[in-house]
Amino acid sequence: MDGLDLTGIARMVEDLILLDVVRFSTPGGRPVFNPDTGLYEVPEGSLIYEGPGAVQAGTLPESASAVVATQPWINETTSKYKAFTPLGAPLAARDTIVTVVQVHAGGDVSLIGRQWRAMDPSQGGTLGVIRVTSLDQIQAEAG
């Protein structure tokens, strides 16, 4: 029995959404402050993937509360982002570092150099047309 061929749909989605260049790499050490960008950046380890992709914000960041009700809110937020890559891209493992390398014409150039950490392995499905990876933005370390 023949299955549903999503090849054409996958190409269309890639052409419409995967307009930027993203890099997936293993973490190469602790984040280091870059005074030129004002951001903490994780030194790159081994390259896993560099090619067409996109990074999009999901929902608003959430603050986690302490277990004890009389304690203050914890400062650190969980920034819900998603990375999109072609199905042919390798699966990202947890803690893979995702960096925006290049944005399309008219895109948000402030994303270039920003980094995220994969929260879970890349998602997959039998009817997928692009690969989705849940991300958390890398922020300044507390303390």
Side-chain angles (χ1 to χ4, degrees), residues 44-63:
E44 292 189 17
S46 301
L47 181 67
I48 299 169
Y49 169 79
E50 184 169 324
V55 172
Q56 295 293 311
T59 58
L60 295 175
E62 296 177 352
S63 291

Side-chain angles (χ1 to χ4, degrees), residues 4-141:
L4 183 61
D5 184 0
L6 298 176
T7 307
I9 294 171
R11 268 194 306 275
M12 182 180 70
V13 171
E14 288 176 14
D15 291 345
L16 290 172
I17 296 176
L18 306 182
L19 304 177
D20 302 325
V21 177
V22 297
R23 178 182 302 137
F24 284 35
S25 58
T26 60
R30 296 177 58 82
V32 177
F33 183 73
N34 180 339
D36 295 333
T37 63
L39 300 171
Y40 279 80
E41 298 173 356
V42 176
E44 292 189 17
S46 301
L47 181 67
I48 299 169
Y49 169 79
E50 184 169 324
V55 172
Q56 295 293 311
T59 58
L60 295 175
E62 296 177 352
S63 291
S65 63
V67 175
V68 180
T70 58
Q71 297 295 312
W73 287 89
I74 296 172
N75 299 357
E76 197 62 40
T77 60
T78 300
S79 305
K80 295 183 177 184
Y81 286 82
K82 301 278 187 196
F84 303 104
T85 53
L87 287 178
L91 292 172
R94 181 179 169 93
D95 294 329
T96 294
I97 304 302
V98 177
T99 307
V100 174
V101 177
Q102 179 182 336
V103 296
H104 63 283
D108 186 355
V109 295
S110 72
L111 292 176
I112 297 173
R114 284 177 67 179
Q115 294 180 311
W116 293 263
R117 186 177 309 278
M119 296 170 60
D120 292 304
S122 296
Q123 300 170 9
T126 57
L127 295 176
V129 293
I130 57 173
R131 188 165 320 288
V132 180
T133 305
S134 296
L135 305 175
D136 183 26
Q137 184 171 286
I138 295 174
Q139 302 178 26
E141 291 188 356

